[in-house]
Structures are given as structure tokens and as C-alpha cells.
């Protein structure tokens, strides 16, 4: 007989794995079952004991029915009937409880059978579903069966799921909500207080599950999960006693035979399932016994193989002496390896000690280098303080540069004059040489001429001397006029240079006046709007921002609206330069808002920065220095935390220090000891690096007209406006004075130029007169020369020309000498002052250079110390790594030594003073070669022969042990199944007795008497009923056969039987369709009352009863709920009868 599956097969086209978990019995059934002790287990079998194989086949047939002893049955009923009846009476008086899990909370159907959509909630105890025929009452049970995984053919309404789909539809869906509460709830963390099971199937045959929590979250879609839920909650949808469909109920009530009732009894209480499982177990046990018989027949062959292997081993033992010698050599070889490893470990430990010494030495060098670096750092700090104390020589340098410009101009003039002087001297030397040569030649010629007229010559000579004297006077006047002209031109040039300088200063003053006007305008705007200092038309801009819709947070800004300086007099000037630009910035949280904000800024003529950042109020305390250090953040008051974070991100205000001067800033950074940036109020930026060293740079101040000048000042716009007006008045006064001075210089320049022009005219007149005198002198000279011979005349003319040229050259040289002396006189005080400044600057530079050189040397020493620290640290780290590696090697060697020693000790006794490994290995090889030669002659090694003997003995022993164990196990299984069969019979007796008692009790509600007759041997269940009219009229005690009862009496009796059987099952759901179809009004009323009382007394059970009858005699209450179905929609008219 095939084994029955615990869960019904699926209607899905795919296969699913059956779950063979037996359902739990009811509570009352557990109480009435007898306690049967389990058979004791044990196995003490001697090694050579003969193995007995159980070959009985008496139990292969499964559950064998033996005719019961009537006296024993009677005694059993007397002992237990009263106790069952007492419990029944107590139970009928008590009120049952509501189940915490496993009952139906609601059912929902879509396009299922005749329902387009139907849903209703079920009560936890008694539910009546009523309605006219065709209203779809039975569809509820069909939907329940299908949703919980039952087969479609068990509903009696179709052979497949496709038949349940509403006409004209392609898909249907049913949903059942199961209660899932209490301590035994199924996966309450996943499903919660309810489990929602939805099954969806289509015309094409597809079917799917969705198992969800109460909040609609899908937990699983597998049928195995549904089977696990039904097993956990003991729901048996295919058990006919749990869900009795309309056809099954009609057949059970009207046409069931005694055999059918008995089968119904066994199937409903699942005794038939246990019987089938026990039968399968007995068949498997019998099959195992046959297999064990076949295994026992192999033992003689195994014993014979062991005898042969033992004989061969005895023959091979003759080589034991040679092998013992080899074993001794192996022992020595093992301990020789241990000794070599010990020597290697000793050598490695020596190396570890040597490396440790080097590590200590490197660490000492690191400490010396660190001390040297500390001393160098202190020296650098001291020298930097000395350097700061020297101050600067900017004023001296600027004055020396001005003197240098003047000296350079004078030197350029002197250079030009020297070049002219050099040229004049060269010309004079040439002219002197020519004159000397001409005079020599004339003297020679005059000596030869003795006959010339002397008187004419004397007269001409006197005239010539007079003209030469006059020429000398005019040349002297010309020189004086030329000098005066040059002086006036120099005065004009000086006036022009000074005027140009003053014009530049005047232009600068005008720019400052414009800047003052701009600041006054801004102050005027500040009087009407405090936001004017941050940009143009800020009020209008903020209004437009407020009225516009933004993707993220509305733009925040300008930042200066939320920032004030605690001490503006001290830090205002510095912070205007450092963070002034950020005060007009805006911040947004969504990048999509940037184009709109940029357009608004453009329309109001603002160039503010736009920052895109999420609203992250992070903790910035880790970036702050200790509390005794003043930072930009601590010098400010920022009212908006979002603006504060943006200033931290963009300007690092939380970590930038503030100091009064550069020296204090540097000292603060040095004391902080971790590097950083500090800003000084005298506009210096000082940086210190974490690894040492630093730098400082000048911060450029703001121009007067810069819009940032209005930041971080007094909020009194009127006072600021007055201050800027006073500055404008001062600039105007200076501008007026400069204009007057420029006009005065212009007048001086014009006068000097006019006077120089007059002297230039006089110079031209004198030059004209000089040319006339020179012409007259030349004419007289020509007359004198005409009286001379041609050669002398030519020579004298040439001599005169050369003398004239020489006189001109000498005049030029005298003029040049005077100009040179004047320039030298002007240059001398400039040079002296410049030299004094040079000496001062040189001394300051030498002192500064000396200190800087000492600082550079100290910094170099510090860098060398740092490099030494790095070098020795690296060297120490390398030595530590070497030490760690060496220690690791030593540890490995020590572990290997211990392992080798343990392994050698495991296999061999200690061997004192072993020889070297190679010597022992050679001896061992020789011995093993001899052993192998002998084994070759034997065909196998001694170990192989011993292993073969061991294998065969082990195989024999294993076969005996396994055969013995399996035989004992088979006997124990057979005994266990027999014990379970005995318990099965005992269960059946108790369930049958309970059914009898409950049946009589339920009949008494109608005034009937009767009993249930079980014949377990023949497999029948008969009912005997005595009605009240029979007892009143016939006065006998003969019971009626059910076939002689009326339809209502038969239905009532069968309902009593069904209620009696329900007491023996543990499923929390009882469903019954059209149970009162054959009842009259009296039997229906009593049956209804009896069912309600039984349901109220039941603990944790839910009843779903379907009837087409009217339920006006039933009053709904807390335990009873009536669901009325709507009338069917058939669309038909009145039937036409002819």
C-alpha cells in the first residue's frame, strides 16, 4: 500500500515537495492517552559471538487486527467511560477560549466562481453563512480550500483551478487572512499578527502564491512556505472532517454505509495515515533483514583471506633484525636532525643578541639627534628674536635711492663732461703739435728773409694785438652769458620736475577725494539701509529673494548680515582685508538655484560669490586650538550656524590665530607646537610648518575707495560720514596748496625760460661780433702774410688757424672745467650723505646678514638634526625590523625544534650524542638498500604485508561489527514499530470510546438514546438510535437502525456523530456545508443549539457552518456571527408552465 502524503498534492502544473509532518492531536485526546514506557536501548555483543539474523516475516502485513477480548473491552470501557463523561460535563459548563493562531480572520475573492468580488470577516468562534440557493455560499469553502493549497477535486466543484474562474474572465484570485498571535505564532517578527495568503490562477493553468504580512509586505512566494504554515498551525484542508463540502456532507448524512463511516473515522482522525506509515516501516525492516542475510554469507571468505595474509606475514618477519637496525639508524637520524636544528637555533639567538645591541645604539643616536634638534630650534628662535629687534631700514633705503637717482644723474653729467674734456685735450695736443711744427718752419723761413719791411709789419701787428684783446673780452662776455643761460635752464628744468611731481601728488589727492565722496555716498546709503555696506540695492535684492520660489533652502546672505567683530578698533582693519570679500557672499543648498540667484545679483549690479553647500551643522571643535589662543572665529560673533560653517569651510576661521604684531604671531605659533597660520594686526601673515621652519609675508592694505572699508566699523553711519567728510576737507586743503605751489613753479619756469631766451639772444649777438673780429683779424693776418714769401705766408696762415683753434679749444676747456667743478660741488654733499646712508645700511645689513647667516646656519643644523633623526629612526626601524625578522626566525626555529623534538620523541626514544646527519643518512641508505633487496625477493615490503593483513582483519572485524549493529538496529526498529502499533491500537480504543460517550451525550439533547458500534476487525461503524416516540409508545429498549430513521432523525444522528468525531481532531477550523438539508425545524433548532454550545465550550476552535435555511431563531452575539449572502443574479423571468 503506498504511503499517504500528509499535505495534499498541488493543483499547480509544477511539482512541489510533500511535507510529511504529522498533525498535532487535540488537547483532550492528549489527556486521555495512556502512558506507554519506551523500550530500553543497549548493545553489548561479544567479539566472537555468533551473529543471529532475524528472519521472521510475520509483521510484513502491517497492522494485524486481532479479535478483541469482550471482557477486557468491557473492563476498559468501565474504567474510562465515567472519567470521559465527567470531563465532558465539566467542559459543557465552561466557556471556551478564542484561538490565538490558525483561525480565519477574513476571506476575499476576485472573479471566483459566481462572485465578481466578495469579502467578509469571520468571527473567531461561530460563523453561519446563509443565503438562497445559488448565492455562492459553497464558494467560500472552495476559496478557503484553494487558498490554503488544497486540491480542486476535493471541493466537489471542479476538476481543476480553471473551473473556478468566473465566466468570461481570464484570471481569478482568492485571499485568506490567518490569525498569527500568541506564544506559538509563526515567525511573528516577519509576518506580524496576521498572515495574508493570496493565490492567483489563470485560464492558461498558471498559479502563484503571495504570502504577505499584515502590512502588505511580501514575505514569500513559495508553496513550501504555505505548507510550513499549515503544518505549524495544524490546518488540514484535505481532511474531510475539517472541511466537509456540500456533496460530502449530503453523502455522509444520507447514503454512507458502516464501512464508509469507519473509513471516514480513520481518515478524519489520521489513524489511517499512521497505519500506512507503520506498514511501510515493516516492509523496509523485512527488506533490511534479507540484505543482512546476504551480508552474513560473505564472512567465511573474509576469514579465509585473513588466515592467508597472516601466514604470509609470519614468513616476512624473518627480516625484522635488519629492519630493527634500520629503525635504530632512523632514530639516530631523527635526533641528528634535531641536533642540527638546535645548533641553527643557537646561531640565530646569537644573531638576535647582536641585532639588539645595534638597536640600542641606534635609539641612543636618535635621542642625541633629538636633543641636538631641540637646541638648534631654541637657537633659531633666539636669533629670530634678535633679527626682529633690529627693525628695518626702509626709510634709509628710500632716501639712499633718491640720492642714488640724483648722484646717477650727476655722474652721467660728469661722464659726459669728462668725455668732452678728453676730446678737447686730444684736440689741444694735436693743435699744439701742429703749432710747434709751423713755428719751426716759419722761423727757418724768416731767417732766410732779411730784406722784408719791418714798419708795416709792426703796424699790422699792433692792430692785430688790439683786435685779439677785444676778441678776448668778447669771448669772456660770451662765456658769462652762456653760464647764466645754462643756470636759468637748470632752474627751469628743476621747476618743471618739481611741478610734474606735484601734479602726480595732485592727481592722487583728487583720487582720494573721489574715494571719500564714494565712502560718503555709502554712508548716506547706510543711514537709510544697514545692508548697503555689503553691496548695491541689498534691500531690493533680499526682497526679490524672499518673494521667489527656490528648489532648496532660500539663499542665505549676505554673510556680513550675520557677522560682527567683538573688538573692531583692534581687529577691524585686518579682518576687512582677510574676510571682507566673504561678507557679501550668498549660500544655497541646491545647485539648480544658482542661475536664478546669479541673475538677481547681476540685475542689482553685485558681484557676490555664490557658495553651494548642504546644510551640514558639523562639529568643528577638533580644528580649534586651546581656549587661550585667539582665533578669527573667537574674535567674531556669528548668529547663523549655517553661515558660520561656510566661513569655516572657505576661510578656516576656526584655526587661524590673531596677534597684535608679527613677533607675537610667531611666538603664538611656536608655543602651539603643531604649525599653523597667524595674522598680525600690523598686516603680516605668519606661517609655521609642523616639521619646523616658517615664513612671513606682508598683507596689502585696502585702497581708500574700496567698498570693504565700510565693514567692521561703528554702526553710527552719521559719525562715519563726518569722518570721511573731514578727510575730504583735508585732501581739498592740500589740493589747494598744491595748486598754488604748481602755479608758482609754473611762473618760475616761465620766467626762467624767458630770461634764458634773452641770454641766448645776447649769446648769439656776441657770437656774431666774435665772428666779425675773427674775420678782421684774419684779414690783417692776410695782409701780413701777403708781405711774406709764399711759404712763410702759408705757414703763418696755418699757424694762425691753429692758434685760433687752440684758443677756441682752451675756451671750451675752461667752460667745461667750470661746469665740471659745479657738478662736482653739487655731487660732493650728495655723495657724502649717500656714503653715510650706505655705511648705516651696510652696518644694518651686516648685522642682519650676520644674524641671518647664523639663523641659516642654525636652520641648517636643525635640518641636519632632522635628517639625522630621520636617518637614525630609519636605521633603528630597519634594525628593529631585522630584529623582528631575526626573532621571528628564532621563534620559527624554536617551534621547529620543539616540533621536530616532539615528532622525534613521538616515534623514537632520545638518542644521546648523535652523529652528523650525512653520516647517519649514508649508513641508513645502505641498510635500507639491503632490506629492499630482500623485500624484492619476497614481492612486497614488510609494511605492505602487514598493511594487507591489517586491512583484511579490519575488513573482517568491520563486517562483523556492522552486521551485528545493523541486526540489532533492525530488531530495535521492529520492536519500536510493534510498540507504536500497540499504542496505535490504544489510541484507537480511546478515540472510539470518546466518540461513543460524546455521541450519546449529543443524542440526549434531543431526548434520544443511542450508541456507536465499532468493529475494528471488519472495519465498520454502525449507529444505533432510540427516538423519544419509540420510547414512549413501544416501551422497549430496541434501538433503530439508521436506515429505519426518518430523514431528519438520520441527519440529526449523523450530526451528533460528526460532533463526536470533531472532539478527536486538533485542527482549529471546522467547516460544514448544508448540514441541515434533510432536517425538520425541530431537529434543525436542536442541532443549531447543540453546535453553538459545543463551539462555545471548545477552546481555540473556529466553526464555519453553511446553510440555505433562515436563521431567525439564532441570535448573533460575541461568539456567533451570521453572514447573509446576497440573492443570486440569474437574469431569468417567470417559468412558463403549460
Amino acid at each position: 500500500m503506498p504511503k499517504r502524503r500528509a499535505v495534499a498534492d498541488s493543483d499547480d502544473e509544477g511539482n512541489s515537495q510533500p511535507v510529511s509532518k504529522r498533525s498535532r492531536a487535540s488537547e483532550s485526546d492528549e489527556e486521555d492517552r495512556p502512558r506507554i514506557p519506551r523500550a530500553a536501548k543497549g548493545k553489548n555483543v561479544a567479539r566472537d559471538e555468533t551473529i543471529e539474523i532475524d528472519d521472521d516475516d510475520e509483521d510484513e502485513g502491517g497492522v494485524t487486527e486481532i479479535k478483541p477480548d469482550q471482557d477486557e473491552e468491557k473492563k476498559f470501557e468501565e474504567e474510562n467511560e465515567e472519567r470521559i463523561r465527567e470531563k465532558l460535563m465539566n467542559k459543557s459548563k465552561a466557556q471556551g477560549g478564542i484561538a490565538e493562531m490558525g483561525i480565519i480572520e477574513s476571506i476575499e475573492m476576485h472573479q471566483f466562481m459566481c462572485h465578481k468580488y466578495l469579502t467578509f470577516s469571520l468571527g473567531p468562534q461561530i460563523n453561519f453563512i446563509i443565503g438562497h440557493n445559488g448565492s455562492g455560499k459553497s464558494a467560500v469553502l472552495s476559496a478557503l480550500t484553494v487558498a490554503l493549497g488544497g486540491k480542486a477535486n476535493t471541493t466537489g466543484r471542479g476538476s481543476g483551478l480553471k473551473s473556478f474562474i468566473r465566466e468570461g474572465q481570464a484570471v481569478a484570485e482568492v485571499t485568506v487572512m490567518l490569525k498569527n498571535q500568541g506564544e506559538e505564532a509563526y515567525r511573528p517578527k516577519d509576518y506580524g499578527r496576521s498572515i495574508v495568503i493570496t493565490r492567483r490562477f489563470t485560464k492558461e493553468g498558471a498559479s502563484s502564491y503571495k504570502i504577505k504580512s499584515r502590512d502588505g509586505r511580501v514575505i514569500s512566494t513559495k508553496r513550501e512556505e504555505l505548507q510550513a504554515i499549515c503544518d505549524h498551525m495544524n490546518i488540514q484542508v484535505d481532511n474531510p472532517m475539517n472541511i466537509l463540502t456540500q456533496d460530502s456532507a449530503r453523502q455522509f448524512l444520507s447514503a454512507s454505509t458502516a464501512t464508509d463511516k469507519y473509513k471516514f473515522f480513520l481518515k478524519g482522525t489520521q489513524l489511517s495515515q499512521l497505519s500506512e506509515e507503520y506498514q511501510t516501516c515493516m516492509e523496509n525492516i523485512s527488506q533490511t533483514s534479507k540484505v543482512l542475510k546476504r551480508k552474513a554469507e560473505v564472512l567465511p571468505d573474509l576469514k579465509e583471506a585473513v588466515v592467508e595474509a597472516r601466514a604470509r606475514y609470519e614468513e616476512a618477519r624473518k627480516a625484522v633484525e635488519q629492519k630493527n637496525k634500520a629503525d635504530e639508524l632512523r632514530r639516530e637520524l631523527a635526533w641528528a636532525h634535531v641536533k642540527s636544528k638546535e645548533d641553527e637555533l643557537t646561531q640565530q639567538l646569537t644573531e638576535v643578541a647582536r641585532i639588539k645591541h645595534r638597536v640600542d645604539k641606534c635609539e641612543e643616536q636618535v635621542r642625541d639627534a633629538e636633543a641636538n634638534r631641540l637646541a638648534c630650534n631654541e637657537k633659531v628662535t633666539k636669533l629670530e628674536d634678535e633679527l626682529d629687534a633690529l627693525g628695518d631700514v626702509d626709510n634709509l633705503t628710500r632716501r639712499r635711492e633718491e640720492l642714488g637717482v640724483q648722484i646717477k644723474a650727476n655722474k652721467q653729467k660728469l661722464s659726459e663732461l669728462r668725455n668732452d674734456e678728453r676730446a678737447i685735450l686730444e684736440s689741444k695736443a694735436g693743435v699744439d703739435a701742429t703749432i710747434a711744427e709751423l713755428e719751426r718752419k716759419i722761423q727757418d723761413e724768416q731767417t732766410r728773409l732779411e730784406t722784408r719791411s719791418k714798419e708795416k709789419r709792426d703796424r699790422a701787428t699792433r692792430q692785430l694785438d688790439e683786435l685779439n684783446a677785444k676778441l678776448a673780452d668778447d669771448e669772456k662776455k660770451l662765456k658769462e652769458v652762456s653760464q647764466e643761460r645754462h643756470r636759468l635752464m637748470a632752474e627751469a628744468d628743476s621747476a618743471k620736475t618739481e611741478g610734474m611731481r606735484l601734479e602726480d601728488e595732485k592727481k592722487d589727492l583728487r583720487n582720494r577725494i573721489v574715494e571719500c565722496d564714494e565712502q560718503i555716498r555709502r554712508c548716506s546709503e547706510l543711514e537709510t539701509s544697514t545692508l548697503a555696506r555689503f553691496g548695491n540695492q541689498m534691500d531690493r535684492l533680499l526682497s526679490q529673494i524672499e518673494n521667489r520660489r527656490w528648489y532648496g533652502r532660500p539663499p542665505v546672505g549676505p554673510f556680513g548680515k550675520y557677522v560682527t567683530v567683538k573688538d573692531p578698533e583692534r581687529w577691524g582693519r585686518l579682518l576687512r582685508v582677510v574676510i571682507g570679500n566673504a561678507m557679501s557672499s550668498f549660500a544655497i543648498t541646491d545647485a539648480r538655484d544658482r542661475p536664478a540667484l546669479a541673475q538677481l545679483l547681476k540685475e542689482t549690479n553685485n558681484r557676490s560669490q555664490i557658495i553651494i553647500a548642504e546644510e551640514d551643522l558639523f562639529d568643528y571643535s577638533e580644528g580649534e586650538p586651546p581656549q587661550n589662543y585667539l582665533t578669527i572665529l573667537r574674535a567674531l560673533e556669528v548668529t547663523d550656524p549655517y553661515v558660520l560653517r561656510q566661513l569655516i569651510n572657505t576661510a578656516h576661521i576656526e584655526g587661524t590665530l590673531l596677534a597684535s604684531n608679527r613677533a607675537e604671531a610667531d611666538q603664538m605659533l611656536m608655543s602651539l607646537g603643531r604649525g599653523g597660520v597667524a595674522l598680525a594686526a600690523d598686516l603680516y601673515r605668519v606661517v609655521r610648518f609642523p616639521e619646523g621652519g616658517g615664513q612671513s609675508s606682508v598683507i596689502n592694505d585696502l585702497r581708500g575707495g574700496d567698498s570693504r572699508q565700510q565693514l567692521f566699523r561703528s554702526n553710527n553711519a552719521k559719525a562715519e560720514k563726518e569722518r570721511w567728510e573731514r578727510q575730504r576737507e583735508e585732501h581739498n586743503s592740500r589740493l589747494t596748496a598744491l595748486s598754488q605751489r604748481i602755479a608758482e613753479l609754473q611762473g618760475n619756469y616761465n620766467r626762467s625760460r624767458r630770461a634764458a631766451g634773452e641770454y641766448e639772444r645776447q649769446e648769439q649777438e656776441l657770437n656774431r661780433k666774435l665772428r666779425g673780429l675773427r674775420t678782421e683779424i684774419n684779414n690783417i693776418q692776410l695782409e701780413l702774410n701777403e708781405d711774406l714769401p709764399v711759404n712763410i705766408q702759408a705757414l703763418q696762415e696755418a699757424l694762425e688757424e691753429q692758434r685760433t683753434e687752440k684758443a677756441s679749444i682752451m675756451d671750451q676747456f675752461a667752460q667745461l672745467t667750470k661746469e665740471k667743478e659745479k657738478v662736482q660741488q653739487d655731487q660732493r654733499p650728495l655723495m657724502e650723505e649717500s656714503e653715510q646712508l650706505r655705511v648705516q645700511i651696510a652696518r644694518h645689513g651686516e648685522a642682519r646678514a650676520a644674524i641671518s647667516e647664523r639663523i641659516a646656519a642654525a636652520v641648517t643644523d636643525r635640518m641636519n638634526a632632522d635628517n639625522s633623526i630621520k636617518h637614525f629612526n630609519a636605521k633603528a626601524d630597519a634594525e628593529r625590523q631585522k630584529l623582528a625578522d631575526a626573532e621571528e626566525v628564532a621563534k620559527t626555529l624554536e617551534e621547529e625544534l620543539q616540533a621536530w623534538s616532539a615528532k622525534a620523541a613521538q616515534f623514537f626514544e632520545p638518542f644521546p650524542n648523535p652523529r652528523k646527519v650525512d653520516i647517519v643518512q649514508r649508513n641508513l641508505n645502505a641498510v635500507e638498500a639491503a632490506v629492499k633487496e630482500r623485500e624484492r625477493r619476497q614481492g612486497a615490503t614488510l609494511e605492505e604485508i602487514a598493511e594487507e593483513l591489517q586491512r583484511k582483519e579490519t575488513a573482517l572485524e568491520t563486517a562483523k561489527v556492522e552486521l551485528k549493529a545493523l541486526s540489532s538496529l533492525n530488531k530495535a526498529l521492529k520492536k519500536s514499530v510493534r510498540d507504536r502499533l500497540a499504542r496505535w491500537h490504544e489510541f484507537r480504543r480511546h478515540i472510539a470510546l470518546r466518540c461513543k460517550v460524546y455521541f450519546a451525550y449529543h443524542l440526549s439533547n434531543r431526548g434520544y438514546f443511542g450508541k456507536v458500534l465499532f468493529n475494528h476487525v471488519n472495519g465498520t461503524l454502525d449507529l444505533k438510535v432510540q427516538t423519544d416516540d419509540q420510547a414512549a409508545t413501544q416501551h422497549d429498549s430496541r434501538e433503530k437502525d439508521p436506515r429505519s430513521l426518518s430523514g431528519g432523525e438520520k441527519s440529526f444522528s449523523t450530526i451528533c456523530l460528526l460532533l463526536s468525531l470533531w472532539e478527536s481532531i486538533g485542527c482549529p477550523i471546522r467547516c460544514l456545508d448544508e448540514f441541515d438539508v434533510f432536517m425538520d425545524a425541530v431537529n434543525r433548532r436542536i442541532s443549531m443549539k447543540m453546535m453553538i454550545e459545543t463551539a462555545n465550550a471548545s477552546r481555540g476552535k473556529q466553526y464555519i457552518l453553511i446553510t440555505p435555511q433562515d436563521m431567525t431563531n439564532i441570535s448573533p452575539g460575541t461568539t456567533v456571527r451570521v453572514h447573509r449572502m446576497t440573492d443570486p443574479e440569474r437574469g431569468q423571468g417567470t417559468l412558463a408552465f403549460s
Side-chain angles (χ1 to χ4, degrees), residues 569-582:
E569 295 297 328
R570 185 178 182 185
W571 307 114
R573 177 190 178 198
L574 173 63
L575 295 181
R576 280 192 290 273
V577 179
V578 177
I579 63 172
N581 283 329

Side-chain angles (χ1 to χ4, degrees), residues 400 403-419 823-824 827 830-831 834:
R400 190 165 183 266
L403 293 176
V405 172
Q406 298 179 16
I407 291 172
K408 184 177 179 181
N410 290 334
K411 284 183 178 180
Q412 186 175 0
K413 289 183 180 180
L414 288 174
S415 177
E416 294 174 354
L417 293 174
R418 288 192 188 96
N419 292 333
V823 171
Q824 287 177 346
Q827 183 80 335
L830 296 178
M831 292 293 294
S834 176

